[in-house]
Amino acid sequence: MFHLYFGGFDVLLYLGGVYAAMAFSKAICDQMDAADAAQSVAPANTVAPMQPSAPHLVAPAAKRQEVSVRVSVN
């Protein structure tokens, strides 16, 4: 009886997990379809054009500061 009860519980958990996965995947697909529909309605020139980058990037030089250190031995 113990195995039958927990076997049934496992089946219910499995079916619940499959149902939840299907519900989440449907929600994600519906959201993606809505986003595609919204993009197709918007004008094509709403996206900013790509800006060219510099051919070689140079990091700025660090400013050096004078540091004085004194060491004393007793």
Side-chain angles (χ1 to χ4, degrees), residues 4-30:
L4 182 65
Y5 173 74
F6 280 103
F9 184 68
D10 288 342
V11 169
L12 286 177
L13 282 178
Y14 177 76
L15 291 176
V18 169
Y19 178 76
M22 289 172 35
F24 286 141
S25 66
K26 183 180 180 327
I28 290 171
C29 288
D30 289 345

Side-chain angles (χ1 to χ4, degrees), residues 50-59:
M50 292 291 292
Q51 299 293 325
S53 62
H56 60 282
L57 301 176
V58 179

